[in-house]
Amino acid sequence: MSKRVLTTESGAPVADNQNSATAGVGGPILLQDQHLLEKLARFNRERIPERVVHARGSGAYGYFEVTDDVTAYTKADFLGEVGKKTETFIRFSTVADSLGGADAVRDPRGFALKFYTEEGNYDLVGNNTPVFFIKDPIKFPDFIHSQKRDPFTGKQEADNVWDFWAHAPEATHQITWLMGDRGIPASYRHMNGYGSHTYQWTNEAGEAFFVKYHFKTNQGIRSLSAEQAAELVGKDANSHQTDLLQAIERGVNPSWTLYVQVMPAAEAAEYRFNPFDLTKVWPHSDYPLQRVGRLVLDRNPENVFAEVEQAAFSPNNFVPGIGPSPDKMLQGRLFAYADAHRYRLGVNHTLLPVNAPKATTAENYGRDGFMATRNGSRHDKNYEPNSYQGPAQTGAALSAPLAIHGWTGTHEAPAHTKDDDFFQAGELYRLMSEDERKRLIANIAGGLSQVSREDVIEKNLAHFAAADVEYGKRVAEAVRALRED
């Protein structure tokens, strides 16, 4: 069987792909060697800007199957019938490190899911923790800068990490999660996923509900100690990628069961703490988990760059029956995520196969721009309304409107009766066994003891003490012992 002919990008056959054209034998290379110049120029441009956060990631295709009737809460078509399946793509990631970072590190994990529904793509962007470090997006760039490599030393610095946290008491809950036993998942298959934010569901009658998503792993929770993680990184820095790839190739398809917590919209205003605060969870005793369906991953990407690196998830990609809430972090991300992809991938990134709708067709008047492949013909107009049968609006809102009132300005979030930055962190600590507490204390002290400023240490110790007196005392003793060594 003869091989296909190698060509240039313009389609011309390549005579020699082993030797550059030169001025005589052993002479200098000729500028007229178009094939050489094309290869070098393309090679120089193979990389695109990496994500500022969530740069290091892995992905897989699968499906979501509805197992329970939730039509009382949402009119979303892909959730409208028990047994219905929807194709999905998921991207797991670490948050703080660069594209070349290791997988088995103490860091939250991104859990970004794209549903290719018949009403358009629905993107659900979350983490493997139900809470986050901050509650207002204006602090997000500063937070990430504090966790990234220092401009002078070129590495993550404990002074920066803990100095920011010293000035962000609301981070205490997430710090307790991160420094606890689940801070380093053993693999992407062995961790839960959460929508983290509060979202809105709307049913056919127009009734609104606020929801939180919980994807519970069916493989069971497995995590690594700091010592186990360090050993694993030395053996395989790509451990989570290796595990996910090989499991699916073997036919061991990982799965998660989706549950939601549902709060009637009318209850939000009087709830004892702000239900849109990303640093807090809703107690299950108040809003029990209700099963929705099952997520299964059964196919690996054929090309990691094309399908994982270029995958674009935007939490503003909603479908009828699902919408945003007043969650300030979510509101910020509605802009920031899509804008990041326009910067990294270009304005036409939604036309890439991994990002394009699969169960329907995108119909709009977006035209031109870099790498445009959907420009229309002389029969297609690029404005609306028009008289030429172009796509038109439906007039039907995707979700229920959110009530607003008051004056514009840089307001703090409205205070509820029991709003507090520390109470839930203390509850989490008190739920831990003694062995879990010991590991948590050791993990926190290991980083905090490296901070050079005593005032920064004391501010952080005060946060842990505010969460739980014993918690604060034990961290303080462990930090002191390490600093005296």
Side-chain angles (χ1 to χ4, degrees):
M1 181 178 174
S2 60
K3 291 186 176 181
R4 303 193 309 275
V5 173
L6 176 67
T7 73
T8 64
E9 293 192 28
S10 63
V14 173
D16 191 340
N17 193 43
Q18 316 305 317
N19 303 287
S20 303
T22 59
V25 177
I29 286 175
L30 298 174
L31 187 62
Q32 72 181 40
D33 190 341
Q34 183 264 347
H35 180 50
L36 169 65
L37 299 187
E38 183 179 81
K39 285 185 71 175
L40 292 179
R42 169 167 279 280
F43 178 77
N44 287 342
R45 293 162 175 82
E46 282 183 356
R47 296 294 177 265
I48 61 176
E50 70 173 43
R51 292 168 170 86
V52 178
V53 288
H54 297 279
R56 170 74 184 159
S58 302
Y61 292 95
Y63 63 87
F64 179 79
E65 180 180 7
V66 179
T67 58
D68 294 78
D69 184 3
V70 290
T71 55
Y73 308 118
T74 179
K75 62 182 180 182
D77 181 71
F78 79 102
L79 298 175
E81 181 182 351
V82 172
K84 184 162 188 173
K85 291 184 178 181
T86 299
E87 184 179 356
T88 62
F89 181 79
I90 194 168
R91 185 177 186 271
F92 303 105
S93 56
T94 54
V95 174
D97 213 342
S98 61
L99 188 59
D103 285 341
V105 293
R106 188 172 298 280
D107 197 15
R109 298 299 189 276
F111 194 99
L113 190 59
K114 188 182 296 292
F115 299 83
Y116 299 103
T117 89
E118 296 169 10
E119 297 179 300
N121 289 353
Y122 171 47
D123 290 353
L124 180 59
V125 179
N127 285 326
N128 71 326
T129 60
V131 293
F132 196 61
F133 297 93
I134 55 176
K135 62 182 76 174
D136 193 306
I138 203 166
K139 298 175 73 169
F140 187 75
D142 301 294
F143 164 61
I144 294 300
H145 290 163
S146 75
Q147 310 297 300
K148 287 285 193 177
R149 296 176 185 272
D150 182 84
F152 173 66
T153 66
K155 61 189 184 72
Q156 190 182 61
E157 291 292 342
D159 275 355
N160 300 342
V161 170
W162 288 96
D163 185 36
F164 181 88
W165 286 343
H167 293 86
E170 71 269 28
T172 308
H173 192 186
Q174 173 72 319
I175 293 169
T176 305
W177 269 88
L178 179 62
M179 297 299 175
D181 280 359
R182 295 192 184 186
I184 312 177
S187 80
Y188 290 132
R189 296 183 298 129
H190 294 92
M191 68 181 194
N192 292 339
Y194 301 89
S196 301
H197 296 289
T198 302
Y199 293 90
Q200 185 204 70
W201 277 7
T202 309
N203 64 18
E204 286 286 1
E207 297 174 301
F209 303 86
F210 293 118
V211 301
K212 284 186 175 290
Y213 295 90
H214 301 249
F215 289 86
K216 300 288 188 178
T217 176
N218 294 326
Q219 290 70 238
I221 296 289
R222 284 182 53 203
S223 303
L224 302 173
S225 67
E227 295 74 21
Q228 290 171 324
E231 182 179 354
L232 182 57
V233 167
K235 293 179 178 177
D236 181 6
N238 307 300
S239 57
H240 288 32
Q241 165 70 9
T242 300
D243 176 86
L244 182 66
L245 176 75
Q246 292 182 351
I248 295 175
E249 288 296 291
R250 295 195 311 269
V252 181
N253 298 330
S255 66
W256 288 258
T257 300
L258 171 62
Y259 299 86
V260 292
Q261 290 176 283
V262 181
M263 173 189 291
E267 296 181 11
E270 301 302 323
Y271 194 52
R272 63 182 183 276
F273 59 82
N274 183 357
F276 311 116
D277 181 347
L278 185 55
T279 67
K280 293 181 174 64
V281 297
W282 298 354
H284 293 180
S285 57
D286 291 349
Y287 298 101
L289 295 180
Q290 302 187 45
R291 193 175 66 177
V292 180
R294 185 171 66 116
L295 171 68
V296 179
L297 305 182
D298 60 5
R299 178 164 64 92
N300 283 311
E302 293 294 319
N303 184 292
V304 171
F305 176 80
E307 299 166 85
V308 179
E309 184 64 12
Q310 293 195 126
F313 299 86
S314 301
N316 59 358
N317 287 343
F318 293 114
V319 293
I322 304 178
S325 78
D327 180 337
K328 293 179 77 172
M329 282 296 295
L330 173 60
Q331 293 283 326
R333 284 170 169 158
L334 296 180
F335 162 76
Y337 274 59
D339 191 58
H341 304 315
R342 285 188 285 266
Y343 158 68
R344 293 182 60 248
L345 304 170
V347 72
N348 287 303
H349 68 273
T350 55
L351 306 182
L352 296 170
V354 70
N355 298 322
K358 295 183 183 296
T360 186
T361 302
E363 293 277 6
N364 57 58
Y365 296 92
R367 297 287 188 273
D368 308 334
F370 286 111
M371 305 301 290
T373 60
R374 186 186 64 199
N375 297 307
S377 69
R378 61 181 175 177
H379 304 294
D380 298 312
K381 303 304 177 183
N382 65 344
Y383 58 87
E384 198 278 334
N386 61 61
S387 304
Y388 295 86
Q389 305 304 309
Q393 66 190 40
T394 66
L398 297 186
S399 57
L402 298 172
I404 59 172
H405 63 278
W407 301 92
T408 60
T410 54
H411 305 291
E412 292 185 7
H416 291 235
T417 55
K418 292 189 177 179
D419 270 334
D420 178 274
D421 288 330
F422 307 109
F423 179 72
Q424 290 198 351
E427 284 196 321
L428 179 58
Y429 174 79
R430 289 185 287 274
L431 283 173
M432 295 180 179
S433 68
E434 177 56 24
D435 285 344
E436 289 173 325
R437 293 182 188 185
K438 287 179 179 178
R439 291 189 290 268
L440 169 68
I441 301 302
N443 291 332
I444 293 174
L448 190 54
S449 63
Q450 299 176 40
V451 174
S452 61
R453 291 181 52 146
E454 289 293 337
D455 60 326
V456 172
I457 294 175
E458 291 303 319
K459 286 179 181 177
N460 280 284
L461 292 177
H463 295 168
F464 299 123
D468 184 277
V469 174
E470 178 196 292
Y471 187 9
K473 180 181 178 182
R474 292 177 65 172
V475 173
E477 291 173 348
V479 169
R480 189 179 306 113
L482 287 173
R483 290 175 70 81
E484 289 174 353
D485 281 350

